Amino acid sequence: AAPGGAKYHLQPDLPRHGLYRPEDRLMPPTLLEDGSGLTFEYLPGTLDEAEFLYEEIFVRRSYLQHGVHVPERGSPLIVDAGANLGLFSLLALSINPRARVLAVEPSPHTFPLLERNLFRAAHVRCVPALLRERPGKHELHCFGDAPAESTCHPRERAAQRARLDAAVKRGAPSAAAAAATAWPAAVVVAAGG
């Protein structure tokens, strides 16, 4: 059983719709499906993170707090900055199917999955970009087993790892343990101009 009691199963035969890189052909898609029919692809080896994100976004609705909401009427513009796999975009569209979504994701590892996860949605544009306060080139540190934690600030990641290590020692779930042990691979991306 998955977080929130939903049952997941792997579906390795979902069509790829031509939105993949040549090296993707070597690896079958890794998919989760919840009990309501939502299916999304995640990176191989990141099941714990995919389940955690699903729990955070769809079950606990953690992204809809502190005044953040998706209008149920009209066609609002939703900007999903750091969209990762597009789960918040999918939640927003489940609340308001007429919403227009701009999903921005800098990681070259997760961007193809973002496109595949949102390909059926109307009024969605996926942009491979890094949002920064200054234009120029910035180093993005991508973590193989926790891609949602990709950052331009690896010191913040180190502090997060220390907090997760402490949580694991107190008996936190295995997702925290997996996220706490990732090592970065640097990817240089352009932001702004």
Side-chain angles (χ1 to χ4, degrees), residues 104-127:
V104 182
E105 173 56 42
S107 172
H109 305 291
T110 55
F111 185 78
L113 281 71
L114 171 69
E115 287 185 307
R116 290 193 293 270
N117 286 337
L118 297 177
F119 83 95
R120 289 187 178 123
H123 316 296
V124 171
R125 181 167 178 219
C126 298
V127 178

Side-chain angles (χ1 to χ4, degrees), residues 1-4 6 8 32 40 42 46-57 59-60 85 87 174-175:
Y8 290 125
L32 287 180
F40 65 94
Y42 63 96
T46 63
L47 175 61
D48 283 346
E49 182 182 65
E51 288 180 335
F52 174 79
L53 291 171
Y54 177 86
E55 169 86 13
E56 284 284 299
I57 295 168
V59 176
R60 288 195 255 152
L85 302 174
L87 296 185
S174 64

Side-chain angles (χ1 to χ4, degrees), residues 1-170:
K7 303 246 184 223
Y8 290 125
H9 65 273
L10 297 176
Q11 253 187 352
D13 58 347
L14 188 73
R16 303 290 283 222
H17 303 283
L19 297 173
Y20 55 87
R21 299 164 300 169
E23 61 268 26
D24 288 339
R25 288 180 233 184
L26 304 175
M27 191 173 304
T30 309
L31 303 164
L32 287 180
E33 181 176 347
D34 72 358
S36 69
L38 171 70
T39 301
F40 65 94
E41 186 175 354
Y42 63 96
L43 288 170
T46 63
L47 175 61
D48 283 346
E49 182 182 65
E51 288 180 335
F52 174 79
L53 291 171
Y54 177 86
E55 169 86 13
E56 284 284 299
I57 295 168
F58 283 93
V59 176
R60 288 195 255 152
R61 301 219 173 197
S62 297
Y63 288 28
L64 298 175
Q65 295 181 13
H66 309 291
V68 176
H69 71 283
V70 175
E72 295 179 18
R73 295 185 180 159
S75 55
L77 174 62
I78 308 292
V79 178
D80 190 353
N84 191 23
L85 302 174
L87 296 185
F88 178 72
S89 296
L90 291 170
L91 174 65
L93 291 165
S94 74
I95 294 169
N96 184 340
R98 293 178 314 242
R100 297 168 293 135
V101 174
L102 178 63
V104 182
E105 173 56 42
S107 172
H109 305 291
T110 55
F111 185 78
L113 281 71
L114 171 69
E115 287 185 307
R116 290 193 293 270
N117 286 337
L118 297 177
F119 83 95
R120 289 187 178 123
H123 316 296
V124 171
R125 181 167 178 219
C126 298
V127 178
L130 175 66
L131 299 178
R132 294 285 299 193
E133 65 277 4
R134 295 180 312 273
K137 291 195 178 204
H138 301 276
E139 191 172 82
L140 177 68
H141 296 264
C142 300
F143 302 94
D145 64 346
E149 295 183 27
S150 296
T151 182
C152 290
H153 306 283
R155 282 186 226 162
E156 289 177 11
R157 165 70 171 160
Q160 173 73 0
R161 288 176 65 199
R163 288 190 298 273
L164 288 171
D165 281 339
V168 168
K169 287 177 184 168
R170 290 189 313 268

